[in-house]
Amino acid sequence: MQDKRSNWVGLLSFGFFILLFALFFIIVPDYSSKVTDFFKDFELVEISSNFYFPAPLHRHPVVYETVMRFCIVFGFFQFFVLALRFFFRSSVEKTAETISNIIIWFGAAYMFFILMENNVDFWFPFIGGLIAVLGFSIVGRSLIVLLFHIYTD
C-alpha cells in the first residue's frame, strides 16, 4: 500500500511541475519570445585551444529571473512532498530523493540568481555551479540512505 501512495506523491509532484511550468509562461509577459531569443543567442565560444562550448552572447535577465523563481517555488513545493513522504511512510530512498530534489531546486535558484546579477561572462562558472549543485545533491542523497541503513541494521 505504501508503494502506491508513494507513486501518487511522485505523480503529484510531476503534475505540479507541469502546472507551474505552464503558469510561468502565462504570467510572464511575452515569455515565449524571450525564451526563443535566449536560445537563438547561443554561439560556440572557445574555452581553450580547439575546445568550444555553446554560450549566450548577451544577458537575458527576464529568462534567468523567471527560471530562478520557478526553482524557488518548486523547491518549496518539495517540502510539501517531503511532508507527504513522512506522512505516508515512504521508503528511505524516496525520502532521500525528495531531500535531494530540495537541494537541486534551491541550488539551481541560487545559481540563476547569481547569473541574473552578473554579466554574460559568468556563463561558464554558472554551468560549473550547476554541476556542483548536482554533485551536492547526489552526495546528500547517498549519505541519507547510508546513514539510515547504518543506524537501522
Side-chain angles (χ1 to χ4, degrees):
M1 185 70 160
Q2 104 185 27
D3 287 335
K4 287 184 179 180
R5 289 181 181 163
S6 186
N7 289 341
W8 280 108
V9 172
L11 191 59
L12 172 70
S13 182
F14 180 67
F16 186 77
F17 179 89
I18 298 297
L19 178 69
L20 190 62
F21 185 80
L23 191 61
F24 273 90
F25 270 90
I26 293 169
I27 292 174
V28 178
D30 200 29
Y31 190 59
S32 60
S33 70
K34 288 177 173 52
V35 170
T36 302
D37 291 343
F38 170 72
F39 284 109
K40 285 181 178 179
D41 192 37
F42 274 79
E43 284 194 6
L44 291 177
V45 176
E46 187 172 10
I47 296 176
S48 64
S49 62
N50 295 331
F51 183 72
Y52 294 86
F53 199 80
L57 297 176
H58 304 93
R59 291 184 73 235
H60 298 274
V62 172
V63 173
Y64 304 151
E65 182 179 5
T66 303
V67 174
M68 177 196 69
R69 290 176 188 267
F70 176 89
C71 291
I72 290 170
V73 171
F74 198 68
F76 277 118
F77 181 75
Q78 291 303 303
F79 281 108
F80 174 70
V81 171
L82 183 62
L84 289 176
R85 295 265 185 230
F86 284 125
F87 181 76
F88 291 125
R89 296 189 176 112
S90 294
S91 68
V92 174
E93 288 79 10
K94 291 288 188 179
T95 304
E97 177 184 333
T98 304
I99 293 169
S100 175
N101 289 342
I102 292 169
I103 294 168
I104 287 173
W105 289 108
F106 282 114
Y110 177 70
M111 292 311 301
F112 274 100
F113 172 75
I114 292 174
L115 182 62
M116 183 179 71
E117 294 294 317
N118 287 288
N119 63 21
V120 75
D121 294 333
F122 191 72
W123 182 254
F124 296 112
F126 164 75
I127 298 296
L130 286 180
I131 293 169
V133 166
L134 185 61
F136 283 128
S137 170
I138 292 169
V139 168
R141 179 180 179 173
S142 299
L143 283 175
I144 291 167
V145 172
L146 285 172
L147 290 175
F148 180 80
H149 289 300
I150 287 172
Y151 288 112
T152 58
D153 288 341

